[in-house]
Amino acid sequence: MENDFSASELFDALLMTAYCCLKLCDFHSDLLQVCFKELHDLSLITVISPEQIRLYHLLQAKHYLAVGQYLALIKQTDELRIIDPKLRHIRAIGIKHQYGINNCILSLKRGIKRFPENTLLKYSYYDHLLSISINKGDFKAAKANIDILKTYKEILSLEDQIHLEFNELTVLFYSKEMKDTRQLLGLCGKAYQNNLHVELSRSYNLLGQFFWTKKDWKKAIDAFDAAADLQDRTGHQTYRWIAKTNLALINLELRNNPDAVMYAKEIILGYYSSKRDKFKRIFTADNKMMYTDFFTDKEIVSILLMLRILYKNDYTGYTQIIETVKQPDIAVLPKEFEHFISRSFVSMLKKTYYYVDGNFMIKC
């Protein structure tokens, strides 16, 4: 049948195939790679419309986001960021993962200035202000941002609606207003029915946190296991190792030290395989101010907590891991690093939202 298609019709067919692969969370399939290669080749033909080209770039950017190729995403959207607000939006998300949330918010503000009528950019701007409010433990501001975000609900995709509902439940959890799991379980059902694996994994992770605070160890571990399984199966790099971080931490709490060490090694090497720049940031920091800057990046907090588990429970494993993850251009660790890992890190982290009811845990 392919021979009967015009170039434009074939381009549309490939677009829809790539779209389906992404919706199925099949981010690493050979079929998806073939689609993107053929789309790239066809995009050089003049009969392909600008709208088709923009949709191709959007799907490619979503794929880069899923597999953690943030620099490629930023490059992919560079020229079109001033033409298409959707591409401006996903570019800002890539900037967040590569350069931090403050740079993401700056990109969104510039996008709103260029596309003042675009509601997606405005929604995302307040969504990221919400994240900062939660990170600071400012739940009054967080609730105010939730109220603003709800005014955009009708224009949101189902995935973004579920994302918003999850964030609202997150605020309830951290402000100690979540009394039971009924809303959270309902959200799990919605995410499951609609094949939204990333949102489902976040919901399971929050469910595990809730049960952990109630000291219902089995239900907490089961929920974290379910979240980790989804994050393993999809390989989506957003929240990729967060549920397993909580599994390591809860096993440490229960004195299952061998399991905690096992998870810690897997998590550190997992991060190193895809996000090596985070290790360079850690090992080139040399004072307390720089270390506290890490707390805006939950993945770096995850890495530091896992390094601390190894430092305290398997020092030989710790030294081996350190040799593996040091960048080639870093000869030695900062002299304060081991003191930071073993002592000051904990006291500093206890003042943040990563410390809940006497336990370190991380939200998705």
Side-chain angles (χ1 to χ4, degrees):
M1 291 178 64
E2 184 176 324
N3 295 326
D4 297 327
F5 290 162
S6 68
S8 179
E9 289 170 334
L10 180 57
F11 198 87
D12 278 340
L14 290 165
L15 283 175
M16 290 302 100
T17 305
Y19 175 83
C20 289
C21 287
L22 292 174
K23 279 293 182 183
L24 290 168
C25 302
D26 199 2
F27 305 120
H28 303 279
S29 70
D30 292 338
L31 174 61
L32 188 57
Q33 298 304 320
V34 168
C35 283
F36 281 132
K37 183 181 184 306
E38 293 194 30
L39 284 165
H40 174 265
D41 293 342
L42 285 169
S43 70
L44 304 176
I45 300 174
T46 55
V47 296
I48 306 302
S49 72
E51 181 56 35
Q52 287 174 302
I53 294 294
R54 285 200 293 271
L55 184 52
Y56 156 58
H57 282 290
L58 182 62
L59 293 179
Q60 180 74 79
K62 287 184 175 182
H63 177 250
Y64 285 144
L65 181 64
V67 298
Q69 295 182 30
Y70 307 122
L71 288 175
L73 187 163
I74 294 166
K75 182 180 179 181
Q76 173 91 9
T77 55
D78 186 47
E79 293 182 5
L80 292 172
R81 76 188 190 282
I82 59 175
I83 298 172
D84 190 309
K86 290 182 180 178
L87 286 163
R88 182 73 190 222
H89 172 254
I90 198 166
R91 176 186 175 83
I93 304 302
I95 287 171
K96 175 178 71 174
H97 289 289
Q98 186 66 34
Y99 300 113
I101 193 168
N102 291 328
N103 288 302
C104 167
I105 289 174
L106 179 60
S107 178
L108 289 168
K109 286 176 72 174
R110 289 173 175 167
I112 292 167
K113 187 174 181 179
R114 177 166 287 276
F115 304 103
E117 303 303 317
N118 187 265
T119 50
L120 176 61
L121 290 169
K122 292 176 183 176
Y123 166 80
S124 189
Y125 172 74
Y126 287 110
D127 187 45
H128 287 90
L129 289 183
L130 169 65
S131 293
I132 289 177
S133 298
I134 295 173
N135 292 355
K136 291 180 176 178
D138 186 351
F139 299 112
K140 183 178 179 180
K143 289 176 181 178
N145 281 313
I146 289 286
D147 289 339
I148 294 171
L149 290 166
K150 283 181 175 179
T151 66
Y152 293 94
K153 193 165 186 178
E154 290 185 2
I155 60 96
L156 297 178
S157 67
L158 178 61
E159 183 174 5
D160 283 332
Q161 288 181 28
I162 289 174
H163 185 89
L164 173 55
E165 190 174 341
F166 170 83
N167 284 342
E168 186 174 7
L169 293 176
T170 298
V171 172
L172 287 178
F173 172 76
Y174 279 100
S175 59
K176 302 188 184 302
E177 296 176 52
M178 184 184 284
K179 303 303 180 186
D180 56 52
T181 61
R182 284 177 294 179
Q183 283 180 278
L184 194 48
L185 289 171
L187 191 62
C188 288
K190 283 186 202 176
Y192 175 78
Q193 289 167 357
N194 292 282
N195 208 51
L196 297 172
H197 294 326
V198 173
E199 295 304 320
L200 182 56
S201 75
R202 298 176 80 213
S203 299
Y204 275 135
N205 187 75
L206 185 58
L207 195 63
Q209 290 180 263
F210 178 84
F211 286 130
W212 190 352
T213 61
K214 302 299 180 185
K215 301 190 185 303
D216 193 335
W217 312 116
K218 183 180 185 307
K219 286 184 179 179
I221 290 172
D222 286 347
F224 289 140
D225 274 333
D229 180 61
L230 285 164
Q231 290 163 4
D232 281 346
R233 285 195 286 120
T234 64
H236 197 297
Q237 288 303 307
T238 305
Y239 320 115
R240 174 65 182 90
W241 299 100
I242 299 301
K244 281 194 175 174
T245 296
N246 285 327
L247 280 170
L249 293 168
I250 197 170
N251 273 284
L252 191 68
E253 171 75 12
L254 296 173
R255 301 186 186 281
N256 297 327
N257 291 11
D259 286 345
V261 166
M262 175 193 70
Y263 283 123
K265 289 179 179 177
E266 180 186 357
I267 292 160
I268 294 167
L269 294 176
Y271 277 123
Y272 185 66
S273 69
S274 59
K275 301 185 179 184
R276 297 191 179 188
D277 59 301
K278 292 186 184 287
F279 291 90
K280 187 168 185 176
R281 283 179 60 196
I282 291 171
F283 294 145
T284 54
D286 59 2
N287 57 66
K288 289 183 180 180
M289 184 60 69
M290 283 292 293
Y291 287 140
T292 55
D293 287 348
F294 291 156
F295 296 163
T296 61
D297 187 324
K298 70 180 73 174
E299 293 183 332
I300 288 184
V301 172
S302 169
I303 291 167
L304 291 171
L305 284 167
M306 296 305 98
L307 286 173
R308 184 175 186 275
I309 286 176
L310 294 184
Y311 182 87
K312 291 288 188 179
N313 298 279
D314 181 6
Y315 190 75
T316 300
Y318 167 81
T319 56
Q320 291 171 344
I321 286 282
I322 288 293
E323 287 305 310
T324 300
V325 302
K326 277 198 309 181
Q327 298 293 310
D329 55 338
I330 298 172
V332 294
L333 296 183
K335 61 182 180 181
E336 304 95 339
F337 185 73
E338 288 200 352
H339 181 270
F340 171 71
I341 283 291
S342 62
R343 297 179 184 275
S344 57
F345 171 57
V346 173
S347 60
M348 293 159 65
L349 202 62
K350 282 182 177 179
K351 300 173 185 176
T352 70
Y353 84 113
Y354 296 105
Y355 194 64
V356 183
D357 289 355
N359 301 291
F360 291 116
M361 59 180 70
I362 300 185
K363 76 173 183 70
C364 282

